[in-house]
Amino acid sequence: MKRAFTLLIFLSFLLFLVPSIHAQSNLSTEAKINKLLAQMTLVEKLGQLQQLDGDYQGNARPEQFDLARIGLLGSTLNVRGAKYTNDLQRAALESRLKIPILFGFDVIHGYRTLFPIPLGMTASWDAAMVENSSSIAAAEARSVGLHWTFAPMVDIARDPRWGRIMEGAGEDAFLGSIMAVAQVRGFQGTDLKRQDKIMACAKHFAAYGAAEGGRDYNTVDMSERTLRGVYLVPFKAAKEAGIGSFMTAFDDLNGLPSTANPFLLRQILRGEWKFDGLVVSDYTSVKELIAHGVAADEKEAAMLALNAGTDIEMVSRTYGQNGVELVKSGKVLIKTIDGAVRNVLRAKFRLGLFEKPFVDENLEKTTLKKPEFMQAARDAAVKSFVLLKNEHETLPISKNVKNIAVIGALADDKANTLDWWAGDAKAEDSVTILEGIKQKVGGRTKIRYEKGCELLCDSDKDFDKAVDAARDADFTIIVVGETRDISGEAASRSNIDLPGKQLDLIKAIHAKGKPYAVVLKNGRPLTINWLAENSPAILETWHSGTMGGPAVADVLFGDANPSGKLPITFPRSVGQIPIYYAAMPTGRPLETENRYTSKYLDTPNTPLYPFGFGLSYTTFKLSNLRLSSQNIPKTGKIRFNVDIENTGSRDGTEVVQLYIHDLVASVSRPVKELKGLHRVLLKAGKKQTIEISLDAKDLGFYNAANQYVVEPGKFDVMVGTNSTDGLRDSFSIIGN
Ligand code: NOJ
């Protein structure tokens, strides 16, 4: 008995020395967190709130090993690769409490196998495809020891001058929510412990995409109604899909920087939405509270961010350096620190890091760039392309054509197959458009490639060679657009024309009067009025990832039929911005003959290409719109049936879109709002009935008191294949 007692004392002592929380599997996660917290010093707690940046190659810096060994490094960004993450993890597990490190990285649209940019992926309007691509990205990322991606970026963006428009789902809250949920599901799955899943992060909370003038990092001033009714909608959808983390934004929202904004973080995110995941700042955004002019020094910056609810500080070190003093002086309560640490530890438990802190170093070799991943990237790229114009069936190009000219530096530039947020993709893995075309046509067709000008296209000295090539060819493919470095973060443009002399190059070729098509490769809507008016065919291919080249060839030569639809309005000029389809009505709607109505004197109100627009090599006809009822109660549902027929001679996919307009409400409602969609593949000549249903509760809005309400009244409905026209009917929500 005595021996047993001594053994028990000895065992408890061991447990104290090596607190293997995970061994006590009978405890709930919250109990495990409590136990750990009870053993942590304040300095160790602050260590869990510190995130530091690895070096360019993916290794941790020497200082980070030292911090990890004493338990003062909770997470990293950019440290990646199975060996590098395991090395640093080993150091963390030498620390007193052996709390594993959380490894984060920007896996935005692929890790090693690069998918199209998120704006392009959204143009597919295909949530299943987006989910699958995020799932592939997660498998690759976890295999190199990563646990956490700083994606999806769910910022609504209605200003194409903003470079980061490429990183999100475009202008619409409904489509943005569908894409947000798809990415959360793909990245996270249902069990974060799986070795092919990673935690996702909804960013940038909030309204970062509404930066004034489209200038990155700029201020945002917005009504609470627009914030809640538009900009927060995809964030809420991500939360409801179970996302594990949120990132604050660089901007200030109505004067209060997001990183120090208790209204966003405490009232909405934690209070109203009951989010129990973790919140990370953006890169040095805690320290930047000083430049924002709300904190006098780093101590105050730390105080504001902690009290507002920013759990982890990315890269700046104000928490670690001031946290102890802030707690001592009572400016930050220990309860607040504990709450933040709790959120970090909860994420680590959810990811299974205490049980399995290391990654199997063989996994990355068998996971990265699997052939099926490459194929998925190619399929995704095909689905992301939007056919903007195709006069007289210029496209697809016949495979029997004898001579082809390919023009444009972007057609064969490996480095530019990668773009902003290219993860760990390697240019040498990518196939360029020229290579894709060569693979496609084989030896049958002669191909002459001429750049015409270098990437920046600042000289026309080689235009002649390109024009000669086009003159001698039966068909010319001109690839133009934006290089990777003028799209993405800190890449705002005040002019969104084709950069350099690219338009002049197209005009010179156009003047020869031979058939050609323009392939656009860009990260944002461009002002391409001349092309829209004069060029016979325009294919928008975005920045399309590792397999973009073969995908472009698939579409150009008719092995695939384009089906993408614009997730963002293309303006005619920068002066029209902001221009988006879900605009508010005005008291003086446009009447061309009436001066005193809302319009410009020098340009139409309409965009160059509207939201939801995209052509196909076949044609579709919608008919026979039926509503299940003309009147639905507030708790009811309404079904819309419509017939769709493929009236052309090729199989093809159409995206049927359903828009509503709430005619009279207590506050003005947008002239149109997307509320449903259905992607349908139809064989040539076939007809099918499709159904879209809506819940009345989803037809509400935030009223003058910023309360979500569903008001009775009449709604117009439009079912079409873009946001400008379609079949129309109306219905009412009834009741009080
Ligand atoms: C700054 C960006 O705004 C954010 O989106 C990104 O996740 C971090 N840098 C980390 O790279």
Side-chain angles (χ1 to χ4, degrees):
M1 180 66 194
K2 199 172 162 211
R3 269 180 64 188
F5 184 66
T6 320
L7 190 67
L8 199 71
I9 299 277
F10 179 61
L11 282 179
S12 343
F13 178 63
L14 267 190
L15 204 68
F16 174 72
L17 273 186
V18 186
S20 55
I21 297 294
H22 53 280
Q24 300 160 287
S25 53
N26 54 333
L27 293 183
S28 70
T29 301
E30 295 309 305
K32 288 178 189 171
I33 293 173
N34 286 338
K35 264 194 116 104
L36 254 183
L37 266 175
Q39 296 171 69
M40 293 171 84
T41 64
L42 176 54
V43 173
E44 283 167 335
K45 288 176 184 173
L46 294 167
Q48 284 305 306
L49 307 184
Q50 180 70 64
Q51 178 171 112
L52 293 177
D53 193 353
D55 70 17
Y56 182 67
Q57 301 291 337
N59 202 352
R61 298 169 201 277
E63 181 214 8
Q64 291 162 9
F65 285 93
D66 298 340
L67 290 172
R69 272 187 208 100
I70 52 174
L72 296 190
L73 183 58
S75 58
T76 63
L77 76 156
N78 296 330
V79 175
R80 62 196 188 278
K83 186 179 172 317
Y84 287 166
T85 54
N86 279 348
D87 283 350
L88 188 60
Q89 197 67 293
R90 225 166 272 121
L93 295 191
E94 284 170 27
S95 67
R96 192 176 78 88
L97 295 172
K98 305 189 182 332
I99 301 177
I101 287 177
L102 188 55
F103 293 106
F105 187 54
D106 291 282
V107 183
I108 306 295
H109 51 114
Y111 178 76
R112 182 72 188 259
T113 307
L114 197 63
F115 286 81
I117 54 171
L119 191 63
M121 297 287 276
T122 306
S124 71
W125 294 50
D126 186 344
M129 181 278 280
V130 170
E131 179 174 338
N132 184 46
S133 69
S134 303
S135 164
I136 290 171
E140 289 194 337
R142 188 90 186 217
S143 81
V144 302
L146 292 166
H147 310 127
W148 184 16
T149 176
F150 304 125
M153 186 190 97
V154 301
D155 294 309
I156 300 284
R158 293 176 163 181
D159 191 331
R161 291 172 295 184
W162 191 51
R164 297 192 80 167
I165 203 162
M166 51 75 62
E167 200 182 332
E171 73 184 47
D172 186 57
F174 179 80
L175 187 58
S177 300
I178 290 178
M179 293 300 153
V181 170
Q183 289 173 84
V184 175
R185 288 192 180 141
F187 285 131
Q188 296 195 164
T190 49
D191 179 6
L192 280 174
K193 293 191 170 124
R194 277 178 52 157
Q195 294 303 292
D196 58 357
K197 291 292 158 202
I198 53 178
M199 180 168 73
C201 180
K203 71 187 187 185
H204 305 83
F205 200 57
Y208 176 47
E212 218 172 77
R215 204 179 75 221
D216 210 357
Y217 315 127
N218 205 3
T219 185
V220 176
D221 199 84
M222 177 182 288
S223 75
E224 187 175 333
R225 185 161 48 258
T226 302
L227 178 72
R228 287 182 182 271
V230 179
Y231 286 79
L232 292 189
V233 175
F235 284 99
K236 189 153 187 252
K239 148 68 184 68
E240 277 159 17
I243 200 162
S245 66
F246 270 59
M247 184 186 289
T248 68
F250 284 127
D251 61 279
D252 78 279
L253 178 63
N254 304 330
L256 204 51
S258 299
T259 305
N261 196 319
F263 168 67
L264 287 173
L265 301 174
R266 296 241 182 252
Q267 183 179 321
I268 296 183
L269 185 60
R270 301 283 183 199
E272 296 175 22
W273 298 357
K274 311 272 176 269
F275 178 65
D276 72 353
L278 71 82
V279 175
V280 61
S281 79
D282 203 345
Y283 205 99
T284 64
S285 73
V286 176
K287 190 171 170 186
E288 287 166 26
L289 295 175
I290 300 171
H292 271 292
V294 296
D297 52 26
E298 293 196 11
K299 198 201 282 178
E300 224 170 82
M303 177 190 79
L304 291 173
L306 280 165
N307 286 341
T310 300
D311 301 325
I312 290 183
E313 178 174 14
M314 186 190 280
V315 176
S316 53
R317 302 183 187 212
T318 70
Y319 287 10
Q321 281 163 8
N322 302 284
V324 172
E325 219 181 305
L326 285 168
V327 171
K328 261 198 205 142
S329 63
K331 293 204 162 129
V332 174
L333 300 178
I334 187 68
K335 197 172 98 201
T336 304
I337 305 282
D338 284 354
V341 176
R342 212 177 276 280
N343 296 333
V344 176
L345 295 177
R346 194 177 296 120
K348 293 183 176 183
F349 278 110
R350 283 179 178 162
L351 281 153
L353 302 191
F354 288 89
E355 292 114 296
K356 194 170 175 358
F358 299 107
V359 61
D360 170 357
E361 289 188 19
N362 291 316
L363 195 59
E364 69 184 6
K365 289 187 204 74
T366 54
T367 307
L368 301 182
K369 288 196 299 169
K370 277 188 194 171
E372 61 263 38
F373 294 177
M374 290 297 208
Q375 185 58 45
R378 181 173 180 160
D379 296 344
V382 163
K383 286 182 169 176
S384 75
F385 299 160
V386 184
L387 185 62
L388 294 176
K389 187 174 177 193
N390 196 21
E391 224 171 52
H392 310 306
E393 299 191 359
T394 304
L395 291 175
I397 308 165
S398 156
K399 285 188 192 148
N400 298 325
V401 74
K402 293 273 178 307
N403 290 293
I404 289 178
V406 179
I407 309 295
L410 282 169
D412 197 33
D413 191 90
K414 287 267 189 197
N416 271 290
T417 58
L418 310 180
D419 56 86
W420 193 257
W421 300 128
D424 237 352
K426 309 274 179 259
E428 67 263 24
D429 296 340
S430 300
V431 185
T432 66
I433 294 178
L434 179 65
E435 288 167 344
I437 292 171
K438 284 184 176 162
Q439 287 170 7
K440 177 69 68 186
V441 298
R444 291 187 304 272
T445 308
K446 232 178 87 201
I447 297 176
R448 179 167 166 200
Y449 173 56
E450 291 293 345
K451 289 187 195 171
C453 53
E454 295 303 321
L455 286 170
L456 296 180
C457 203
D458 45 12
S459 158
D460 56 9
K461 76 176 170 31
D462 289 331
F463 277 17
D464 287 352
K465 290 187 203 155
V467 173
D468 282 355
R471 193 198 47 224
D472 297 343
D474 302 318
F475 197 96
T476 298
I477 299 160
I478 313 176
V479 182
V480 289
E482 298 183 299
T483 51
R484 58 183 295 198
D485 54 326
I486 59 167
S487 159
E489 187 176 343
S492 296
R493 296 179 62 199
S494 67
N495 167 341
I496 55 170
D497 292 342
L498 280 170
K501 296 181 187 298
Q502 293 182 97
L503 181 58
D504 295 338
L505 174 63
I506 299 170
K507 286 180 177 170
I509 292 169
H510 177 88
K512 293 289 141 200
K514 306 267 312 250
Y516 75 97
V518 176
V519 173
L520 293 174
K521 199 168 147 43
N522 47 310
R524 55 157 64 78
L526 298 174
T527 39
I528 47 166
N529 304 315
W530 190 91
L531 302 187
E533 232 169 83
N534 301 287
S535 296
I538 310 170
L539 182 68
E540 172 59 80
T541 70
W542 317 104
H543 288 150
S544 52
T546 313
M547 294 300 281
V552 168
D554 287 343
V555 170
L556 288 180
F557 290 90
D559 286 338
N561 190 349
S563 59
K565 299 280 180 176
L566 292 179
I568 178 89
T569 304
F570 272 45
R572 295 174 191 274
S573 66
V574 164
Q576 286 186 313
I577 297 170
I579 177 168
Y580 47 93
Y581 86 92
M584 284 296 186
T586 80
R588 294 185 172 195
L590 170 76
E591 285 171 37
T592 338
E593 300 310 316
N594 183 351
R595 180 183 177 104
Y596 298 99
T597 59
S598 181
K599 61 176 179 300
Y600 298 103
L601 295 177
D602 54 354
T603 190
N605 282 6
T606 53
L608 186 61
Y609 293 112
F611 177 85
F613 175 80
L615 303 169
S616 163
Y617 293 157
T618 188
T619 45
F620 296 93
K621 187 166 170 266
L622 293 180
S623 60
N624 199 15
L625 174 63
R626 284 98 75 199
L627 280 58
S628 60
S629 163
Q630 292 315 126
N631 296 303
I632 47 167
K634 281 183 178 178
T635 50
K637 214 181 180 60
I638 178 165
R639 291 188 314 280
F640 303 87
N641 286 102
V642 69
D643 299 340
I644 174 160
E645 186 178 358
N646 180 340
T647 48
S649 54
R650 286 172 183 269
D651 301 351
T653 296
E654 182 55 286
V655 182
V656 180
Q657 305 159 35
L658 185 144
Y659 297 85
I660 58 117
H661 177 203
D662 186 346
L663 291 174
V664 181
S666 58
V667 292
S668 294
R669 299 302 301 145
V671 290
K672 255 171 223 163
E673 290 178 273
L674 180 70
K675 287 289 175 186
L677 63 98
H678 191 108
R679 248 182 138 258
V680 55
L681 169 67
L682 273 185
K683 296 246 172 251
K686 289 281 177 245
K687 191 170 177 176
Q688 193 178 312
T689 300
I690 60 144
E691 180 170 304
I692 299 177
S693 62
L694 296 184
D695 287 326
K697 71 170 169 39
D698 295 329
L699 301 179
F701 56 87
Y702 289 87
N703 67 11
N706 293 313
Q707 307 288 334
Y708 186 81
V709 289
V710 179
E711 289 181 353
K714 192 171 170 198
F715 290 76
D716 278 347
V717 60
M718 183 188 90
V719 177
T721 56
N722 63 59
S723 62
T724 50
D725 42 42
L727 305 173
R728 291 165 194 269
D729 206 332
S730 58
F731 65 93
S732 296
I733 293 185
I734 50 172
N736 300 310

